[in-house]
């Protein structure tokens, strides 16, 4: 039954779901979740262009589910407060170790929503919908989405301390008796019929499995690559290698609103605006050398994360192939950034105050998506000489 599969998925995502699972309206909630999930499964059966169009039509359903899950989580918090069980504060994963998650239902819905939004952006790269001038805001937005997903995982997957777990188990048993349900095998370490030791062993099993851990490592690596790519592009704009002409029609803000208009259909994650983009990417904040240093550290960290995922985790052949492609992107871009950084550290031979280093004059940046469909390999290419420049060179030789 799909409802049972969904309950198991909720439980694996957050151990605190065992409290919300005892709610009287949980069966109704699961039936409401099932329909959007089926639509998402059908979505991945279509071609890539159709997937991108359909995601926008599916987002309103997930917006409604966010509201429904919030109601269930509030009921759970009320029951926890009556039983004297504290809960973790949202956004404070480090300082609330051992406390139950406050939003087990919402966190699962939020995770699925973030995955859909990130998939929407990545499909834009695969379908070649973004121009070079749109890469900086697009990778900046994609990094934001991936970071939201990682923070949500870190809060939802925290293991509950044993002193709180015993109170949680007693509350679960009480709620199950109230609704007339049989005691679940996943919840209680104090279940007398099932044996106290067996229940405790099941509670001590870690929630994340190796494939899930590998998935999180890859998401973190993608987040670092996103940040490094747009930081490198910002540095190249400062250096003078990358230049975007004025738009004859429209504006950068209009393009930004158009690209991410679908994301306004869901309240969470909070949709970003063009003002947010300008505030976080003020060109006066960092020098070109600082931006290149940040990009270099990001690519190096991505290489380490991908190496850990491929060596210590079990990956299926398609996943391993995607990881190797992503590793090639990180290595190639790290070499390019290191080369540009070393070139910029040497002062120009003629005028040290020049914005563009003469060693990089005559070069342009190109983006190669042949290795990976989403994350490009950046290359410095020699610009072709104009006809007038070639004629002047010939005159000098003559």
């Amino acid at each position: 039954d799909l409802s049972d599969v969904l309950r198991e998925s909720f439980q694996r995502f957050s151990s605190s779901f065992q409290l919300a699972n005892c709610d009287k309206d949980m069966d109704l909630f699961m039936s409401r979740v099932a329909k959007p999930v089926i639509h998402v499964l059908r979505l991945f059966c279509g071609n890539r262009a159709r997937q991108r169009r359909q995601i926008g039509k599916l987002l309103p359903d997930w917006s409604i589910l966010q509201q429904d899950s919030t109601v269930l989580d509030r009921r759970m918090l009320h029951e926890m407060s009556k039983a004297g069980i504290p809960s973790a504060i949202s956004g404070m994963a480090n300082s609330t170790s051992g406390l139950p998650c406050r939003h087990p239902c919402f966190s699962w819905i939020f995770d699925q929503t973030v995955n859909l939004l990130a998939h929407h952006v990545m499909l834009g790269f695969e379908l070649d919908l973004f121009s070079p001038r749109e890469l900086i805001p697009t990778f900046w937005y994609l990094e934001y989405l991936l970071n939201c997903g990682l923070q949500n995982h870190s809060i939802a997957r925290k293991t509950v301390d044993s002193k709180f777990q015993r109170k949680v188990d007693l509350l679960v048993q009480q709620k199950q008796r109230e609704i007339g349900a049989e005691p679940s095998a996943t919840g209680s370490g104090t279940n007398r019929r099932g044996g106290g030791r067996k229940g405790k062993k099941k509670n001590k099993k870690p929630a994340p499995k190796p494939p899930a851990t590998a998935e999180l490592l890859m998401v973190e690596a993608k987040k670092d690559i996103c940040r490094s790519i747009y930081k490198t592009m910002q540095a190249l704009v400062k250096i003078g290698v990358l230049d975007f002409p004025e738009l004859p029609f429209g504006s950068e803000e209009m393009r930004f609103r158009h690209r991410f208009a679908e994301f306004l259909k869901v309240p969470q994650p909070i949709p970003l605006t063009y003002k947010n983009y300008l505030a976080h990417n003020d060109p006066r904040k960092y020098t070109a050398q600082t931006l290149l240093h940040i990009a270099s550290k990001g690519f190096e960290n991505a290489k380490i994360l991908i190496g850990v995922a491929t060596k210590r985790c079990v990956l299926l052949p398609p996943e391993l192939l995607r990881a190797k492609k992503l590793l090639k992107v990180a290595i190639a871009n790290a070499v390019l950034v290191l080369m540009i950084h070393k070139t910029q550290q040497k002062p120009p031979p003629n005028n040290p105050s020049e914005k563009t280093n003469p060693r990089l004059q005559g070069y342009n940046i190109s983006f190669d998506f042949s290795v990976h469909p989403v994350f490009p390999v950046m290359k410095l290419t020699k610009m072709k000489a104009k006809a007038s420049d070639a004629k002047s060179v010939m005159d000098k030789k003559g």
Side-chain angles (χ1 to χ4, degrees):
D1 185 31
L2 181 58
S3 178
D4 296 334
V5 175
L6 290 174
R7 288 174 187 268
E8 185 178 355
S9 178
F10 273 86
Q11 182 64 42
R12 288 184 177 181
F13 193 81
S14 176
S15 59
S16 302
F17 176 72
Q18 55 183 322
L19 278 171
N21 194 24
C22 300
D23 194 279
K24 58 182 180 179
D25 294 329
M26 183 54 64
D27 292 335
L28 177 61
F29 175 70
M30 285 298 164
S31 65
R32 293 171 67 91
V33 173
K35 188 176 180 180
V37 168
I38 292 174
H39 288 165
V40 172
L41 295 177
R42 290 176 179 172
L43 169 76
F44 289 103
C45 297
N47 60 58
R48 313 298 276 180
R50 183 171 294 179
Q51 286 183 23
R52 196 170 190 273
R53 290 195 300 267
Q54 290 295 324
I55 287 176
K57 299 179 181 179
L58 298 179
L59 289 178
D61 293 336
W62 291 95
S63 176
I64 296 173
L65 289 178
Q66 287 186 8
Q67 300 174 16
D68 294 344
S69 60
T70 302
V71 173
L72 292 177
D73 290 335
R74 285 176 180 173
R75 291 183 188 174
M76 184 198 72
L77 287 175
H78 180 67
E79 296 292 338
M80 289 172 59
S81 62
K82 291 197 319 184
I85 304 173
S87 58
I89 302 175
S90 300
M92 301 179 61
N94 295 330
S95 61
T96 55
S97 177
L99 300 182
C101 175
R102 292 172 62 91
H103 311 289
C105 296
F106 178 83
S107 61
W108 189 92
I109 301 296
F110 181 85
D111 183 68
Q112 304 303 313
T113 308
V114 169
N115 290 340
L116 282 176
L117 298 182
H119 188 59
H120 185 276
V121 177
M122 292 181 184
L123 286 174
F125 287 106
E126 295 185 24
L127 299 172
D128 197 17
L129 299 180
F130 303 125
S131 63
R133 70 184 312 128
E134 293 177 295
L135 294 183
I136 295 179
T138 304
F139 277 116
W140 172 76
Y141 209 117
L142 181 57
E143 182 207 5
Y144 164 73
L145 294 175
L146 297 176
N147 188 51
C148 287
L150 289 172
Q151 290 183 353
N152 183 51
H153 272 271
S154 65
I155 295 174
R157 294 202 171 204
K158 273 196 169 295
T159 56
V160 183
D161 192 86
S162 58
K163 60 182 179 181
F164 300 121
Q165 185 62 52
R166 180 173 177 81
K167 292 184 178 180
V168 170
D169 293 337
L170 293 175
L171 181 59
V172 169
Q173 291 180 2
Q174 177 185 349
K175 296 297 293 182
Q176 286 175 344
R177 285 193 297 267
E178 290 177 1
I179 63 176
E182 295 181 359
S184 59
T186 57
S188 60
T190 58
N191 189 353
R192 296 178 181 178
R193 295 184 179 181
R197 293 183 179 179
K198 291 184 179 180
K200 290 182 180 179
K201 287 183 179 179
K202 290 183 180 179
N203 286 330
K204 289 183 179 180
K205 286 183 179 180
K209 295 184 178 181
T213 304
E215 180 183 356
L216 293 178
L217 289 173
M218 295 303 297
V219 171
E220 190 171 355
K222 291 177 181 178
K223 184 198 73 171
D224 289 335
I225 292 178
C226 286
R227 182 176 63 252
S228 299
I229 288 177
Y230 77 77
K231 289 295 183 183
T232 303
M233 294 181 66
Q234 289 174 343
L236 293 176
V237 170
K238 277 182 166 291
I239 294 170
V241 175
L242 190 60
D243 185 29
F244 300 119
E246 291 289 334
L247 289 172
F249 305 103
S251 62
E252 297 285 355
E253 184 177 1
M254 183 191 69
R255 286 196 173 200
F256 187 94
R257 291 202 309 263
H258 174 72
R259 288 302 183 192
F260 306 111
E262 298 288 353
F263 298 175
L264 298 174
K265 296 179 180 179
V266 290
Q268 295 288 341
I270 299 174
L272 299 179
T273 63
Y274 188 69
K275 291 183 178 180
N276 299 133
Y277 168 72
L278 294 179
H280 285 82
N281 297 276
D282 188 353
R284 298 169 295 181
K285 284 185 177 180
Y286 303 106
T287 62
Q289 287 79 6
T290 303
L291 293 170
L292 290 171
H293 180 68
I294 295 173
S296 178
K297 288 182 64 177
F299 285 127
E300 292 296 332
N301 191 44
K303 288 163 54 178
I304 295 173
L305 292 170
I306 297 171
V308 173
T310 54
K311 292 178 182 179
R312 300 184 182 180
C313 304
V314 179
L315 295 176
L316 297 175
E319 296 173 337
L320 184 60
L321 180 61
R322 288 194 292 267
K324 289 181 178 179
K325 289 181 178 180
L326 200 62
L327 182 61
K328 289 181 181 179
V329 172
I331 293 174
N333 288 331
V335 173
L336 175 71
V337 171
L338 183 61
M339 184 269 292
I340 298 175
H341 190 46
K342 287 184 177 180
T343 304
Q344 282 299 112
Q345 286 178 341
K346 300 177 182 178
N350 299 328
N351 186 6
S353 63
E354 289 184 7
K355 176 184 177 182
T356 306
N357 196 314
R359 299 181 182 88
L360 295 177
Q361 286 183 353
Y363 284 89
N364 196 4
I365 191 75
S366 62
F367 304 94
D368 182 12
F369 287 91
S370 61
V371 178
H372 196 280
V374 177
F375 303 99
V377 173
M378 296 178 288
K379 298 179 180 179
L380 279 177
T381 56
K382 190 73 175 180
M383 296 176 62
K384 294 182 180 180
K386 298 181 181 179
S388 58
D389 296 339
K391 186 178 179 180
S392 62
V393 172
M394 294 298 295
D395 293 341
K396 289 181 180 179
K397 288 184 178 180

